[in-house]
């Protein structure tokens, strides 16, 4: 299984970016995927998660600004990020698990078997 992120970049506060995560050789019919981020000196944290049946979760910091979605045919998960703020600056990682995560487990690093290499998002004020 390989996860490849793209779409990161540098924007000014208030701007938008759309991240993509393409999953190859991922044939599980039941799965969960998520976006995490890690800022310098901080722990990696869950940003948004999506389950194969459409259940979606967000961390409070991004609710109303970020939207996670998936294209099953393309095996791709997206993260639309609007109204970006300097505190959103981080390396963003895609993660996948071959099962249906429930409750708050979506935001736990140990729940995921596969990780991408990350894509950098930098927001300037």
């Amino acid at each position: 299984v390989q996860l490849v992120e793209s779409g990161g970049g540098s924007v000014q506060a208030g701007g938008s970016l759309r991240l993509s995560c393409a999953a190859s050789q991922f044939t599980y019919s039941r799965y969960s995927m998520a976006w995490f981020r890690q800022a310098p000196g901080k722990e990696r944290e869950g940003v948004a998660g999506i389950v194969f049946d459409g259940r979606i979760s967000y961390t409070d910091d991004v609710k109303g600004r970020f939207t996670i979605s998936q294209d099953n045919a393309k095996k791709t998960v997206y993260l639309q990020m609007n109204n970006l703020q300097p505190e959103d600056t981080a390396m963003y990682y895609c993660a996948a698990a071959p099962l249906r995560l429930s409750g708050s487990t979506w935001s736990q690093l140990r729940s995921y078997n596969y990780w991408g290499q990350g894509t950098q998002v930098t927001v300037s004020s």
Side-chain angles (χ1 to χ4, degrees), residues 83-102:
N83 191 23
L84 283 160
Q85 300 300 314
E87 52 266 33
D88 296 316
T89 295
M91 185 71 81
Y92 283 71
Y93 297 91
C94 178
L99 72 166
R100 186 185 190 282
L101 296 174
S102 60

Side-chain angles (χ1 to χ4, degrees), residues 6-8 12 29 33 46 48 50-51 56 65 71 74-76 79-80 90 97 109-111 115 119 123-125:
S6 62
Q12 291 188 330
S29 59
M33 297 189 73
I50 189 166
V51 181
I56 289 174
R65 300 189 298 123
D71 184 328
K74 295 182 178 179
K75 296 185 179 180
T76 300
L79 185 67
Q80 177 67 43
L109 276 70
R110 62 187 180 187
S111 298
W115 291 85
T119 185
V123 185
S124 58
S125 58

Side-chain angles (χ1 to χ4, degrees), residues 8-98:
S10 297
V11 297
Q12 291 188 330
S16 297
L17 285 173
R18 188 194 194 204
L19 305 183
S20 299
C21 172
S24 62
Q25 301 177 339
F26 192 79
T27 59
Y28 303 102
S29 59
R30 298 170 64 86
Y31 62 87
S32 301
M33 297 189 73
W35 287 97
F36 285 75
R37 67 185 178 186
Q38 188 167 18
K42 294 188 177 181
E43 295 184 352
R44 192 171 299 189
E45 63 173 354
V47 175
I50 189 166
V51 181
F52 69 95
D53 57 4
R55 181 176 178 269
I56 289 174
S57 304
Y58 296 100
T59 189
D60 288 344
D61 290 348
V62 307
K63 286 180 179 178
R65 300 189 298 123
F66 291 12
T67 302
I68 189 170
S69 61
Q70 60 184 342
D71 184 328
N72 290 334
K74 295 182 178 179
K75 296 185 179 180
T76 300
V77 174
Y78 304 97
L79 185 67
Q80 177 67 43
M81 306 185 294
N82 298 328
N83 191 23
L84 283 160
Q85 300 300 314
E87 52 266 33
D88 296 316
T89 295
M91 185 71 81
Y92 283 71
Y93 297 91
C94 178

